[in-house]
Amino acid sequence: MALDNGPDHPMFPGVGFITIPELSWRHIEAPTDVVEIGQRVSCEFLQFDTHNAEARLSLRALLPDPFQAFADGTVVGQTLPGTVVKVLPFGAFVDVGNGVVGLVPFKEVHGRPAAGLPEVFQVGDEMSVVVRMSSGRSEGCSLAAS
């Protein structure tokens, strides 16, 4: 990323770096999901890495935190619609909107044990979930199937 008025990089003057987690609050597969080569963006300066002589920048820091907005707008016990976005052996990740993805641990599915439950969920399934916990931090929220 070229800097307009920033510290010089020893090999690439006027260059700063944005790590993938600092591109967006939501999970992305590739940087091109957020930015394109040559695109002009505004960033927040995080730090100057003296070891690598690089400016560390963040696009995410300039955007509202969707997890805090979710925590402010929902209460424990509230039922929400969601879409299964990922299924792992321990639970399903469900998108409840606005960039917030929560975990439905298989132990929270109708009080049944986790054995064999991953097959019950498919990516793209629509489901209702109940908010079990919301920290308001980027760790997301804990959900249960309703």
Side-chain angles (χ1 to χ4, degrees), residues 77-102:
Q78 183 173 346
T79 301
L80 301 169
T83 305
V84 176
V85 293
K86 191 171 197 172
V87 179
L88 297 173
F90 54 86
F93 287 92
V94 178
D95 184 338
V96 291
N98 297 325
V100 176
V101 175

Short mmCIF file of all heavy atoms in Angstrom, two decimals, residues 77-102:
data_model
loop_
_atom_site.label_atom_id
_atom_site.label_comp_id
_atom_site.label_asym_id
_atom_site.label_seq_id
_atom_site.Cartn_x
_atom_site.Cartn_y
_atom_site.Cartn_z
N GLY A 77 -31.14 -14.64 25.10
CA GLY A 77 -32.45 -15.25 24.99
C GLY A 77 -33.23 -14.83 23.76
O GLY A 77 -34.25 -15.43 23.43
N GLN A 78 -32.73 -13.82 23.06
CA GLN A 78 -33.41 -13.35 21.85
C GLN A 78 -33.23 -14.37 20.73
O GLN A 78 -32.16 -14.93 20.54
CB GLN A 78 -32.83 -12.00 21.43
CG GLN A 78 -33.51 -11.38 20.23
CD GLN A 78 -33.00 -9.96 19.96
OE1 GLN A 78 -32.34 -9.35 20.80
NE2 GLN A 78 -33.29 -9.46 18.78
N THR A 79 -34.31 -14.61 19.96
CA THR A 79 -34.26 -15.52 18.83
C THR A 79 -34.02 -14.73 17.55
O THR A 79 -34.65 -13.69 17.33
CB THR A 79 -35.59 -16.31 18.71
OG1 THR A 79 -35.79 -17.04 19.93
CG2 THR A 79 -35.55 -17.28 17.54
N LEU A 80 -33.09 -15.23 16.73
CA LEU A 80 -32.72 -14.56 15.48
C LEU A 80 -32.69 -15.56 14.34
O LEU A 80 -32.37 -16.74 14.55
CB LEU A 80 -31.32 -13.95 15.60
CG LEU A 80 -31.08 -12.92 16.69
CD1 LEU A 80 -29.59 -12.64 16.82
CD2 LEU A 80 -31.84 -11.65 16.37
N PRO A 81 -32.97 -15.11 13.11
CA PRO A 81 -32.76 -15.98 11.96
C PRO A 81 -31.29 -15.99 11.59
O PRO A 81 -30.57 -15.01 11.82
CB PRO A 81 -33.59 -15.30 10.86
CG PRO A 81 -33.58 -13.85 11.23
CD PRO A 81 -33.54 -13.81 12.74
N GLY A 82 -30.82 -17.10 11.04
CA GLY A 82 -29.42 -17.18 10.64
C GLY A 82 -29.22 -18.18 9.53
O GLY A 82 -30.12 -18.94 9.17
N THR A 83 -28.01 -18.16 8.98
CA THR A 83 -27.62 -19.06 7.90
C THR A 83 -26.33 -19.75 8.28
O THR A 83 -25.36 -19.09 8.66
CB THR A 83 -27.40 -18.27 6.58
OG1 THR A 83 -28.58 -17.51 6.29
CG2 THR A 83 -27.09 -19.19 5.42
N VAL A 84 -26.30 -21.07 8.16
CA VAL A 84 -25.09 -21.84 8.46
C VAL A 84 -24.03 -21.51 7.41
O VAL A 84 -24.29 -21.62 6.21
CB VAL A 84 -25.38 -23.36 8.48
CG1 VAL A 84 -24.09 -24.15 8.71
CG2 VAL A 84 -26.42 -23.69 9.55
N VAL A 85 -22.84 -21.08 7.88
CA VAL A 85 -21.77 -20.72 6.95
C VAL A 85 -20.59 -21.68 7.01
O VAL A 85 -19.77 -21.72 6.10
CB VAL A 85 -21.29 -19.27 7.16
CG1 VAL A 85 -22.37 -18.28 6.78
CG2 VAL A 85 -20.81 -19.03 8.58
N LYS A 86 -20.49 -22.45 8.12
CA LYS A 86 -19.39 -23.40 8.24
C LYS A 86 -19.78 -24.45 9.28
O LYS A 86 -20.38 -24.12 10.30
CB LYS A 86 -18.11 -22.68 8.68
CG LYS A 86 -16.86 -23.51 8.60
CD LYS A 86 -15.64 -22.64 8.84
CE LYS A 86 -14.39 -23.34 8.35
NZ LYS A 86 -13.23 -22.47 8.40
N VAL A 87 -19.42 -25.71 8.99
CA VAL A 87 -19.70 -26.80 9.93
C VAL A 87 -18.38 -27.48 10.27
O VAL A 87 -17.63 -27.88 9.37
CB VAL A 87 -20.69 -27.82 9.33
CG1 VAL A 87 -20.96 -28.94 10.31
CG2 VAL A 87 -22.00 -27.14 8.93
N LEU A 88 -18.10 -27.56 11.57
CA LEU A 88 -16.89 -28.22 12.06
C LEU A 88 -17.31 -29.32 13.03
O LEU A 88 -18.48 -29.38 13.44
CB LEU A 88 -15.99 -27.20 12.75
CG LEU A 88 -15.45 -26.09 11.84
CD1 LEU A 88 -14.71 -25.04 12.64
CD2 LEU A 88 -14.54 -26.67 10.77
N PRO A 89 -16.40 -30.21 13.44
CA PRO A 89 -16.78 -31.31 14.32
C PRO A 89 -17.40 -30.89 15.65
O PRO A 89 -18.16 -31.64 16.25
CB PRO A 89 -15.46 -32.04 14.56
CG PRO A 89 -14.62 -31.71 13.38
CD PRO A 89 -15.01 -30.31 12.99
N PHE A 90 -17.12 -29.68 16.13
CA PHE A 90 -17.62 -29.25 17.43
C PHE A 90 -18.83 -28.33 17.37
O PHE A 90 -19.45 -28.04 18.38
CB PHE A 90 -16.51 -28.55 18.22
CG PHE A 90 -15.88 -27.41 17.46
CD1 PHE A 90 -16.43 -26.14 17.51
CD2 PHE A 90 -14.73 -27.62 16.71
CE1 PHE A 90 -15.84 -25.09 16.81
CE2 PHE A 90 -14.14 -26.58 16.01
CZ PHE A 90 -14.70 -25.31 16.07
N GLY A 91 -19.17 -27.83 16.17
CA GLY A 91 -20.31 -26.93 16.08
C GLY A 91 -20.47 -26.31 14.71
O GLY A 91 -19.66 -26.54 13.81
N ALA A 92 -21.52 -25.53 14.57
CA ALA A 92 -21.82 -24.86 13.31
C ALA A 92 -21.70 -23.35 13.51
O ALA A 92 -22.16 -22.82 14.52
CB ALA A 92 -23.22 -25.21 12.83
N PHE A 93 -21.09 -22.67 12.55
CA PHE A 93 -21.01 -21.22 12.58
C PHE A 93 -22.19 -20.68 11.79
O PHE A 93 -22.42 -21.08 10.64
CB PHE A 93 -19.69 -20.72 12.00
CG PHE A 93 -18.54 -20.97 12.94
CD1 PHE A 93 -17.78 -22.13 12.85
CD2 PHE A 93 -18.22 -20.05 13.92
CE1 PHE A 93 -16.73 -22.37 13.71
CE2 PHE A 93 -17.16 -20.28 14.79
CZ PHE A 93 -16.42 -21.44 14.69
N VAL A 94 -22.94 -19.77 12.42
CA VAL A 94 -24.17 -19.26 11.84
C VAL A 94 -24.06 -17.74 11.70
O VAL A 94 -23.76 -17.04 12.67
CB VAL A 94 -25.39 -19.63 12.72
CG1 VAL A 94 -26.67 -19.05 12.15
CG2 VAL A 94 -25.49 -21.14 12.85
N ASP A 95 -24.32 -17.25 10.49
CA ASP A 95 -24.31 -15.81 10.21
C ASP A 95 -25.68 -15.26 10.59
O ASP A 95 -26.70 -15.67 10.05
CB ASP A 95 -24.04 -15.58 8.72
CG ASP A 95 -23.93 -14.12 8.34
OD1 ASP A 95 -24.44 -13.25 9.08
OD2 ASP A 95 -23.35 -13.84 7.28
N VAL A 96 -25.68 -14.32 11.55
CA VAL A 96 -26.94 -13.72 11.99
C VAL A 96 -27.11 -12.30 11.43
O VAL A 96 -27.98 -11.56 11.86
CB VAL A 96 -27.06 -13.71 13.53
CG1 VAL A 96 -27.22 -15.13 14.05
CG2 VAL A 96 -25.88 -13.02 14.19
N GLY A 97 -26.28 -11.94 10.46
CA GLY A 97 -26.42 -10.66 9.78
C GLY A 97 -25.42 -9.62 10.23
O GLY A 97 -24.82 -9.71 11.30
N ASN A 98 -25.22 -8.63 9.39
CA ASN A 98 -24.34 -7.49 9.65
C ASN A 98 -22.92 -7.89 10.02
O ASN A 98 -22.27 -7.25 10.85
CB ASN A 98 -24.93 -6.60 10.75
CG ASN A 98 -26.24 -5.99 10.32
OD1 ASN A 98 -26.44 -5.67 9.16
ND2 ASN A 98 -27.15 -5.85 11.25
N GLY A 99 -22.43 -8.96 9.44
CA GLY A 99 -21.05 -9.38 9.67
C GLY A 99 -20.82 -10.14 10.95
O GLY A 99 -19.68 -10.38 11.33
N VAL A 100 -21.88 -10.53 11.65
CA VAL A 100 -21.74 -11.25 12.91
C VAL A 100 -22.01 -12.73 12.68
O VAL A 100 -23.07 -13.12 12.18
CB VAL A 100 -22.69 -10.71 13.99
CG1 VAL A 100 -22.59 -11.53 15.27
CG2 VAL A 100 -22.39 -9.25 14.27
N VAL A 101 -21.01 -13.55 13.01
CA VAL A 101 -21.13 -15.00 12.90
C VAL A 101 -20.92 -15.57 14.29
O VAL A 101 -19.95 -15.24 14.97
CB VAL A 101 -20.07 -15.57 11.93
CG1 VAL A 101 -20.12 -17.09 11.90
CG2 VAL A 101 -20.29 -15.01 10.53
N GLY A 102 -21.88 -16.39 14.73
CA GLY A 102 -21.79 -16.98 16.06
C GLY A 102 -21.68 -18.49 15.96
O GLY A 102 -22.01 -19.10 14.94
#
